[in-house]
Every structure is written in C-alpha cells, then in structure tokens.
Amino acid sequence: MRNVLLLTDFSDDAKHAIYYGLTLLGDEEVSYTLVHGMYLAYANTGTTASTVDVRTEEARNAFDQLLKDIAHDFPGKNFNINSEVRCGEIVEVATYMEDECPADLIIMGTRGASGLADVLIGTSTITIMEQVSTPVLAIPHDYEYHQPAKIVLAMDNGDGPTAEVLAPMVKMAERFNAQILVIHVAKEPSDVEVNYDKVNKVLENVRSHCVTIYDKDVAKGLERFVKSEKVQMLCMIKQKLTFFERVFHRSLSNKMVMQTEVPMLVMSYKG
C-alpha cells in the first residue's frame, strides 16, 4: 500500500480506525492523507464565506491536534501524513478525492449493532463502499488490533475474481504471512457455482483453503464462520451488488449497513 486515505470526522471512532491503519501498515513506503468532509447546508442555514473560513480553521486545528496525538502515541515512527479539508458530505468527498488523489486503500471507522446480520440506519459506510472503486477497509469502533493471521474471503457464485481484484488482500496476507480462508455460503448444494480452481490459481503464492458451508441465512452463516475461525479480517468483493444485497439486506432507503466485529475489506470487481 503506497497511498492511503484516512477518512475522519474527528470522532473517537475515526481516530480508532486511523490508529489501526497506522499500526497495520506502518511508516515505510506509505503515504497517508487525512480527509475530512465539511458539510455546509447553504440553502438551509444561509452559510456565509466567513462561516466556511471558521469551519475550515476548526478542521485545521483538529488535524493539528490529531497529528500531535499520533506523534505522542507512536514514538519512534516517522509517518508521512498529509491532510485535506473539503466541503461536502463524506461520501461526496471520498469519491472526489478518489479521482483527484488516486489511492490504494481507503480506511474508515464504523459503529453500530454487533453481528453480520444486524444493520444500522443512516450511516454512509456502505454508500462509500458502493460508490468508490478503491478498496475500503472499515474498522469496528471497538476492535482491538490484532495482526492478521487468518483472513476470510467471502465468495459469491461466479467465475471468480482476477489477481488484480484480490491484490490488496493478497498483499496483506503476504505482509503478515496470513492464511486466507475462502468461503462460499450456499443455501443448498445445488446453489454452489464457485470457480474454486480460478481462486486457487490467484492465491497460489499464499497459504489458502477453500470451503463451502450451508445456511439458509447467508449473513448469519458467514458470521458464525468468522467467529468460529477467530479471524482478524473479513474480505468481500463488490460485484454487481449481488453479494451486497444478500449480506446487507439492502432496503429501498439504501441506508442500511452491515456491521462486522472484525475489520472488513471490500474490493471492487473490475472485469
């Protein structure tokens, strides 16, 4: 990972995610950019230029304090960290920054109910994951850092992902010598159409194992597997939203988000 965007609203959850990312990726050959989206409701509040200046200055001061905290809490580390304040909601800012400053990874915090089958109304986490092509790593607010030793890749039916799609996960596994557990949750045997041969070829240089389990509820089946295997990261592939729709139980409001108890890396299908 060479360029990483760290999304922040200066909350404890965002700071927790930033600290996770810094601990995970370290200070060698990585450039970090702290990104804050400053929402200004011009039409509703009559926001003036002076208000924008005040809010921007507040954000800059918050960045300065965050950088001081990082320097204090990571002694001996020499992180390359820049900061950006942009007007707009965080989803809008994330998509804009992706075009302006292409990154290898976006890291953000998330909070909500526990369990893969639970949902939280009104969060932007899933919206960002759906709208950007950059891999997104979401960190639960109460997750204590553990070096990845087991990584789960949740697979849907289909031909299988390319090496380009899985590159962020594979690099993570290589960095920590982690095992990748490829899992497909099927409702019944006739539902299995996963190209495990293609997946195994992509993962030939890392330790990996493929398994199919059966559960009428995809989310709960995946949740039970993640807990039983005591994994440190869950990976998914955004491919035509079919898997998202099954796991996240997307409502018409498009405001429901699944919450995992471990960091979740979402990669984009590019084929």
Side-chain angles (χ1 to χ4, degrees):
M1 304 293 175
R2 294 187 176 275
N3 298 299
V4 178
L5 299 183
L6 304 170
L7 305 187
T8 181
D9 57 3
F10 304 117
S11 65
D12 290 341
D13 295 342
K15 185 176 182 180
H16 178 73
I18 290 168
Y19 275 35
Y20 175 94
L22 295 176
T23 304
L24 181 76
L25 301 177
D27 61 346
E28 297 182 5
E29 299 183 348
V30 183
S31 177
Y32 299 96
T33 302
L34 295 166
V35 180
H36 175 63
M38 187 171 58
Y39 177 65
L40 300 171
Y42 290 93
N44 296 330
T45 64
T47 304
T48 63
S50 61
T51 302
V52 174
D53 291 340
V54 170
R55 293 279 301 279
T56 301
E57 183 64 22
E58 291 174 346
R60 290 297 179 194
N61 290 337
F63 275 138
D64 289 343
Q65 183 58 55
L66 178 55
L67 290 173
K68 289 179 181 178
D69 291 344
I70 291 172
H72 177 271
D73 296 332
F74 291 86
K77 293 292 185 180
N78 185 27
F79 296 112
N80 179 11
I81 305 178
N82 300 306
S83 61
E84 290 283 347
V85 180
R86 296 301 173 106
C87 291
E89 295 183 343
I90 192 60
V91 175
E92 176 186 359
V93 171
T95 54
Y96 177 81
M97 289 295 296
E98 181 180 44
D99 293 333
E100 186 181 72
C101 305
D104 301 300
L105 182 68
I106 295 174
I107 297 178
M108 62 186 301
T110 185
R111 168 183 286 271
S114 62
L116 287 171
D118 294 330
V119 294
L120 172 69
I121 302 299
T123 178
S124 57
T125 304
I126 296 302
T127 305
I128 290 176
M129 288 177 172
E130 289 180 345
Q131 293 191 8
V132 302
S133 59
T134 302
V136 177
L137 180 59
I139 314 302
H141 73 282
D142 57 355
Y143 182 77
E144 182 179 348
Y145 178 83
H146 295 283
Q147 179 174 302
K150 283 186 179 181
I151 299 173
V152 164
L153 171 62
M155 287 286 300
D156 201 6
N157 282 326
D159 188 45
T162 63
E164 181 185 9
V165 173
L166 295 183
M169 180 191 68
V170 171
K171 290 178 181 178
M172 201 79 69
E174 291 175 339
R175 177 183 177 88
F176 298 105
N177 191 29
Q179 180 186 28
I180 296 176
L181 303 176
V182 183
I183 179 175
H184 174 66
V185 184
K187 293 184 177 181
E188 54 189 35
S190 60
D191 189 37
V192 181
E193 298 178 4
V194 181
N195 190 339
Y196 284 130
D197 290 338
K198 182 175 181 179
V199 176
N200 284 328
K201 184 172 180 59
V202 173
L203 302 179
E204 61 183 355
N205 293 323
V206 297
R207 293 185 297 122
S208 64
H209 177 67
C210 298
V211 60
T212 297
I213 64 173
Y214 300 97
D215 200 298
K216 295 298 183 181
D217 188 309
V218 175
K220 289 186 176 181
L222 182 56
E223 177 183 5
R224 280 190 282 269
F225 183 83
V226 167
K227 286 183 176 180
S228 66
E229 291 294 331
K230 296 180 173 59
V231 306
Q232 292 78 41
M233 186 175 294
L234 169 64
C235 300
M236 297 184 187
I237 304 167
K238 181 181 67 176
Q239 181 177 357
K240 300 179 181 179
L241 296 186
T242 54
F243 192 63
F244 266 38
E245 290 168 350
R246 292 172 61 199
V247 175
F248 295 149
H249 302 292
R250 297 284 290 171
S251 71
L252 294 177
S253 67
N254 288 330
K255 290 185 178 180
M256 303 178 78
V257 63
M258 179 270 293
Q259 180 74 23
T260 174
E261 296 179 354
V262 300
M264 180 174 65
L265 175 64
V266 174
M267 301 162 287
S268 294
Y269 180 76
K270 300 176 183 179

